[in-house]
Amino acid sequence: MSAGLILRYVIIAIIYIILFRIVRIMYLDLKGIRSDDERKDITYALEVIDVPGSIGIARGSLYPVHKLTSIGRKADNSITLNDPYVSSYHAQIYIENDGLFIKDLNSTNGTIKNGIRIKGVERLQSGDVIEIGRTSFKVVE
């Protein structure tokens, strides 16, 4: 075998390895399977329990909460709510010391937790209901 033929086989093998990895990543993404590193970051989620039809999100949708999740009307938020009752940067939900917290960002209409308007930072637990604008979320673990 010549060196040129061996080089061709090596290049073909590398291409197959790359294609296999791409297909594997796509499969895992479609199945919703995350690596162990990704699972460590996502321990909580927000489930949409009430939403007006005009916002463009569906009841029952789940939004994973990462170390810092921002909610607001602007497109660069983690969760974008196209609702005139939601401020551009309305609230932040974050994980700190294995706890989940919410902070209102001085929004015009406020952030409601379990029927009470929050002031400053509040700790969240599974089952808490958060209202931002006309959308209600339930914290799930």
Side-chain angles (χ1 to χ4, degrees):
M1 281 172 107
S2 71
L5 189 57
I6 293 173
L7 183 61
R8 286 182 190 162
Y9 284 129
V10 169
I11 290 174
I12 290 172
I14 291 172
I15 291 172
Y16 276 110
I17 291 170
I18 291 171
L19 287 174
F20 173 76
R21 293 194 67 148
I22 290 171
V23 169
R24 182 176 179 268
I25 289 170
M26 290 171 51
Y27 171 78
L28 294 175
D29 189 46
L30 287 173
K31 289 292 185 183
I33 300 170
R34 300 187 184 279
S35 69
D36 288 339
D37 291 338
E38 289 177 293
R39 270 188 229 131
K40 289 177 188 171
D41 290 343
I42 303 172
T43 56
Y44 299 97
L46 298 177
E47 179 183 2
V48 178
I49 57 174
D50 192 22
V51 62
S54 61
I55 290 182
I57 60 175
R59 182 176 287 142
S61 298
L62 283 174
Y63 291 94
V65 175
H66 299 279
K67 289 183 181 186
L68 178 64
T69 300
S70 61
I71 303 170
R73 200 172 60 242
K74 286 251 183 175
D76 60 345
N77 284 287
S78 306
I79 301 172
T80 303
L81 300 175
N82 189 16
D83 182 350
Y85 296 97
V86 175
S87 296
S88 297
Y89 300 100
H90 198 99
Q92 288 180 337
I93 297 177
Y94 58 93
I95 300 171
E96 185 176 279
N97 299 328
D98 293 328
L100 186 65
F101 298 88
I102 186 166
K103 177 181 180 183
D104 183 79
L105 300 176
N106 298 319
S107 62
T108 304
N109 293 312
T111 301
I112 311 297
K113 175 189 151 194
N114 298 328
I116 301 170
R117 187 175 179 152
I118 67 169
K119 295 177 182 166
V121 176
E122 294 271 338
R123 188 177 185 105
L124 293 172
Q125 296 179 5
S126 185
D128 284 344
V129 175
I130 302 163
E131 297 173 48
I132 296 178
R134 298 176 292 166
T135 304
S136 298
F137 299 94
K138 182 168 83 174
V139 177
V140 293
E141 255 185 284

